[in-house]
Amino acid sequence: MTTDTHQTPLPDTPGAPGAPGAPAVPTPEQYGVGARFTLSVYDSDYVRIILQALDAADATGLAVETNDISTCITGAEQRVLEYLEQVIAGAARSGAHLSAAILLSRGCPGELQCALPPGVDAVGAEPIRLPRSGVRARAHWSLYPLLDARTASSPGSAAASAAPGAGEARPADHMTPIYAAIEQAKAAGVYSGSDHYATRLDGDLAAVLTTAANAWIGVGAVIQHVVTHLTVSINSPSLAGATGAAEASDATGAEHAEHAEPGSPE
């Protein structure tokens, strides 16, 4: 498999920030907004389940490319997340155990290059909104603001003008936006704890995706290149077994209590 390296040309727009002929604010496609995901279905009928889920999802306004390893989606943040939710929820409604590895990226990474208008450090986006899916999901989530020592301190940038020692390189603080994102997950009610290298999320699939995506978008309003990664698990037999064992234990305890004599130490 080969990857072509290319640069997306940005049109000169009259009235754009900066000097005449300065590049316009890029579109989501030019800015590298998109996702790459792999859907794994642990069922003998996995081909049908995956293909039906992909076919049923609405790809309007998106560029979707599927190969033998994963599916790449590019387009506006709202549409990318809607598509992801539709594919994953569609497959999950088969009842089969599945997992989805999702990578969201924005900010002209890798093979895609773009130039921002002078004084613009990053391009923001509106928070996404997804209706409740009715599908319970658990996920490991990681957020990566990809900073360097020049971020928010490059001469001429808006952040540099407001910062002490404007124009001077300073160490990038990448943990502050990560901690803020975790607090947002707690406020949304989907935070389920921390594991090594990841934060656990648990809730409706739409809420899990919305929490991760809006943290990604929020950090991306001030940091150009931001990546977030989720491993989502749905219909896990280990979770069903744990739930069943807990319910059986509760039922046994209730029955035992009903047969206990009044005043018994049990």
Side-chain angles (χ1 to χ4, degrees):
M1 178 178 176
T2 61
T3 300
D4 294 330
T5 300
H6 65 278
Q7 179 166 340
T8 302
L10 298 180
D12 291 343
T13 303
V25 173
T27 65
E29 293 80 7
Q30 292 169 329
Y31 197 55
V33 176
R36 183 171 290 281
F37 78 105
T38 299
L39 182 63
S40 302
V41 177
Y42 309 108
D43 186 276
S44 60
D45 201 16
Y46 68 94
V47 173
R48 178 190 63 80
I49 294 171
I50 292 174
L51 292 180
Q52 285 187 353
L54 289 169
D55 290 341
D58 179 9
T60 303
L62 298 171
V64 180
E65 179 183 346
T66 298
N67 59 28
D68 59 321
I69 300 174
S70 61
T71 295
C72 181
I73 319 155
T74 56
E77 288 86 349
Q78 178 70 35
R79 290 296 300 119
V80 167
L81 269 296
E82 287 172 348
Y83 183 85
L84 284 171
E85 189 276 336
Q86 289 171 14
V87 172
I88 298 169
R93 293 188 181 107
S94 69
H97 176 209
L98 62 85
S99 65
I102 305 168
L103 178 73
L104 300 174
S105 182
R106 64 193 313 278
C108 307
E111 72 279 1
L112 185 66
Q113 303 295 322
C114 68
L116 297 179
V120 176
D121 294 316
V123 177
E126 291 296 317
I128 67 142
R129 301 178 187 276
L130 297 175
R132 183 176 175 82
S133 69
V135 173
R136 182 186 178 185
R138 284 186 161 187
H140 272 149
W141 169 45
S142 301
L143 177 65
Y144 306 102
L146 301 179
L147 299 165
D148 59 36
R150 294 179 58 204
T151 299
S153 61
S154 301
S157 71
S161 300
E168 298 177 2
R170 57 187 174 84
D173 174 16
H174 65 284
M175 289 306 300
T176 296
I178 292 175
Y179 288 136
I182 292 172
E183 292 305 313
Q184 292 170 5
K186 292 178 179 179
V190 295
Y191 175 84
S192 182
S194 294
D195 288 339
H196 289 304
Y197 318 124
T199 297
R200 293 179 67 95
L201 303 179
D202 188 348
D204 187 85
L205 173 63
V208 167
L209 293 176
T210 297
T211 297
N214 284 341
W216 169 64
I217 291 169
V219 174
V222 293
I223 297 170
Q224 180 176 325
H225 188 194
V226 183
V227 170
T228 196
H229 180 265
L230 297 101
T231 301
V232 180
S233 176
I234 301 175
N235 299 331
S236 171
S238 59
L239 178 60
T243 302
E247 290 175 349
S249 176
D250 290 344
T252 301
E255 182 179 357
H256 182 73
E258 288 176 0
H259 289 84
E261 294 293 334
S264 165
E266 298 179 330

